[in-house]
């Protein structure tokens, strides 16, 4: 079995809205990520998936809980260990244009990472930039250009090259394909899969719908209102979703076969996503759950492994 690279234990990230109110963006979430795998993290906007990613990489501090990377507590690191963590763990963002400095050439953007390795020779530095551009499917001539000269898909490739420049082992990709045309999304996903194989990378791939994460994830976690609802292997999740929320998300994905599509039942969720400042008592999904019962309002469902490698938080199990 692969080694645990990252352990998230009871992670909480709350934000103060004012003196009296607290927004529970991530509320007691636990999961592991194994070396070389892709864990997809999905849920509607405001479910806490991006805050989880940003707390893992220390962009935010924790309110409670622990993040352990390679045996070390991420939020207690300092000095050399912190430097090493900053190199090994990289992030790719949703909007590649906003995350690339418009006044820097592509060579300088990518070389920022190379500089950490202390490569002094400008020839070696440029060779490495060219190598990285080729790795992500661009070419040498792109090195002297500026971000605005590229398409969205190419800019995401530049973002990936920048992340790879420091030889990371773990990449958090926060909705990396959501802003791209559908035709380009598959290209970026295929590139990420290829790089993962070649460089033994581990990914946390954050997306807002299950259709997007299907082709890249080994396992998928589904979040709702700051909590993890279900987590299991991708195939299991698609074939046998247990949580009513996962079932509703999957029923919204169109099936290409018109006969099957016409016959199948859609689960339309009623109502809006409740406020994270004042979440429902008991199960946070109960106000929209089509099969909720009295106990769902009274008691929080436990996060438990209901069958091998299949975790769910729901009173039905
Ligand atoms: Fe629905 Fe109750 Fe399960 Fe929550 S615990 S998902 S409300 S059945």
């Amino acid at each position: 079995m692969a080694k645990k690279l990252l352990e998230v234990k009871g992670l909480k990230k709350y934000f103060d809205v004012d003196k009296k109110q607290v927004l529970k963006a991530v509320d007691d979430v636990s999961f592991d990520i194994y070396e070389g795998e892709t864990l997809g993290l999905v849920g509607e906007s405001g479910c806490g998936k991006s805050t989880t990613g940003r707390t893992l990489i220390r962009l935010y501090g924790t309110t409670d809980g622990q993040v352990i990377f390679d045996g070390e507590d991420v939020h207690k690191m300092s000095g050399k260990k912190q430097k090493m963590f900053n190199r090994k763990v990289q992030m790719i963002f949703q909007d590649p244009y906003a995350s690339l400095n418009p006044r820097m050439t592509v060579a300088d953007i990518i070389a920022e990472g190379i500089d950490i390795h202390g490569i002094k020779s400008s020839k070696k530095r440029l060779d490495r930039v060219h190598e990285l551009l080729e790795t992500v499917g661009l070419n040498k001539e792109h090195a002297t250009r500026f971000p605005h000269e590229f398409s969205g898909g190419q800019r995401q490739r530049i973002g990936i090259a920048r992340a790879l420049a420091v030889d990371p082992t773990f990449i958090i990709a926060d909705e990396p394909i959501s802003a791209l045309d559908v035709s380009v999304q598959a290209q970026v996903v295929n590139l990420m899969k290829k790089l993962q194989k070649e460089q033994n990378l581990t990914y946390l791939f954050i997306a807002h719908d299950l259709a997007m994460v299907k082709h890249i994830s080994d396992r998928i976690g589904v979040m709702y209102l700051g909590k993890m609802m279900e987590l299991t292997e991708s195939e299991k999740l698609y074939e046998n979703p247990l949580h009513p929320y996962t079932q509703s998300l999957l029923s919204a994905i169109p099936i290409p076969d018109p006969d099957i599509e016409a016959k199948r039942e859609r689960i339309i969720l009623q109502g809006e996503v409740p406020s994270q400042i004042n979440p429902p008592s008991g199960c946070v999904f109960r106000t929209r759950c089509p099969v909720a019962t009295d106990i769902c309002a009274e008691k929080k469902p436990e996060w438990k492994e209901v069958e091998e490698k299949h975790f769910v938080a729901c009173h039905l199990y």
Side-chain angles (χ1 to χ4, degrees):
M1 192 170 175
K3 174 185 144 193
K4 266 184 205 172
L5 185 63
L6 190 93
E7 292 169 70
V8 179
K9 298 179 183 176
L11 184 70
K12 292 184 184 176
K13 178 62 198 169
Y14 297 172
F15 296 97
D16 289 337
V17 178
D18 53 38
K19 278 185 185 152
K20 284 188 189 147
Q21 301 188 98
V22 168
L23 186 149
K24 296 178 176 177
V26 180
D27 196 15
D28 200 3
V29 163
S30 300
F31 59 91
D32 299 324
I33 301 183
Y34 296 90
E35 210 167 57
E37 79 161 340
T38 299
L39 178 73
L41 200 54
V42 296
E44 294 160 288
S45 80
C47 72
K49 56 192 189 302
S50 288
T51 306
T52 301
R54 282 159 195 252
T55 312
L56 301 189
I57 201 170
R58 289 173 55 129
L59 287 176
Y60 299 139
T62 57
T63 302
D64 200 1
Q66 268 185 312
V67 180
I68 312 284
F69 179 80
D70 222 356
E72 299 285 340
D73 189 325
V74 166
H75 292 268
K76 288 189 179 148
M77 284 176 185
S78 58
K80 268 191 188 167
K81 279 185 183 159
Q82 190 185 328
K83 256 192 172 172
M84 185 58 90
F85 175 81
N86 292 348
R87 186 175 75 67
K88 282 189 172 175
V89 183
Q90 292 294 308
M91 194 148 181
I92 301 171
F93 296 91
Q94 175 180 3
D95 181 353
Y97 195 51
S99 67
L100 304 175
N101 186 334
R103 284 182 292 275
M104 281 166 80
T105 63
V106 166
D108 287 337
I109 288 170
I110 296 174
E112 272 188 318
I114 298 173
D115 293 342
I116 292 172
H117 287 306
I119 297 174
K120 296 274 187 305
S121 142
S122 57
K123 161 93 175 59
K124 273 193 186 158
R125 200 165 169 261
L126 196 59
D127 285 349
R128 179 74 178 129
V129 168
H130 290 162
E131 193 188 349
L132 284 161
L133 282 172
E134 275 163 17
T135 305
V136 297
L138 295 171
N139 58 52
K140 285 180 187 177
E141 288 70 45
H142 290 131
T144 51
R145 298 196 199 158
F146 291 88
H148 73 268
E149 297 177 65
F150 294 89
S151 67
Q154 286 174 319
R155 285 199 283 260
Q156 196 53 285
R157 287 172 191 268
I158 298 166
I160 295 171
R162 178 179 58 182
L164 293 177
V166 289
D167 294 332
T169 53
F170 179 45
I171 292 182
I172 298 174
D174 188 5
E175 304 232 21
I177 55 171
S178 307
L180 305 177
D181 289 346
V182 176
S183 58
V184 183
Q185 289 180 349
Q187 293 170 14
V188 174
V189 165
N190 289 340
L191 170 67
M192 288 183 67
K193 277 168 96 170
K194 177 178 149 279
L195 295 171
Q196 180 170 44
K197 247 192 187 167
E198 289 170 358
Q199 308 194 16
N200 192 31
L201 295 166
T202 305
Y203 292 145
L204 176 66
F205 193 98
I206 300 168
H208 59 261
D209 77 57
L210 275 165
M212 275 193 193
V213 295
K214 189 176 179 184
H215 300 292
I216 193 162
S217 307
D218 298 293
R219 294 185 304 138
I220 297 176
V222 179
M223 285 186 76
Y224 182 82
L225 219 65
K227 290 194 176 285
M228 195 74 91
M229 300 282 112
E230 182 162 6
L231 191 156
T232 190
E233 289 159 344
S234 301
E235 270 176 33
K236 253 192 202 172
L237 194 85
Y238 283 87
E239 278 165 20
N240 185 27
L242 297 180
H243 197 285
Y245 180 56
T246 316
Q247 289 168 357
S248 74
L249 288 182
L250 280 170
S251 86
I253 301 176
I255 295 173
D257 183 324
D259 292 336
I260 302 177
E261 177 69 16
K263 279 185 221 142
R264 84 196 176 111
E265 213 183 308
R266 278 247 153 84
I267 305 167
I268 313 277
L269 291 181
Q270 304 299 322
E272 297 291 315
V273 179
S275 158
Q276 287 163 292
I277 297 171
N278 191 15
S281 62
C283 173
V284 289
F285 185 56
R286 72 171 168 84
T287 53
R288 300 175 81 202
C289 180
V291 290
T293 56
D294 289 349
I295 191 175
C296 304
E298 289 155 19
K299 211 175 150 207
K300 280 190 175 95
E302 247 180 79
W303 178 242
K304 54 186 174 201
E305 191 170 11
V306 295
E307 52 184 60
E308 207 194 351
K309 297 181 188 166
H310 198 156
F311 296 83
V312 184
C314 173
H315 289 307
L316 294 176
Y317 304 96

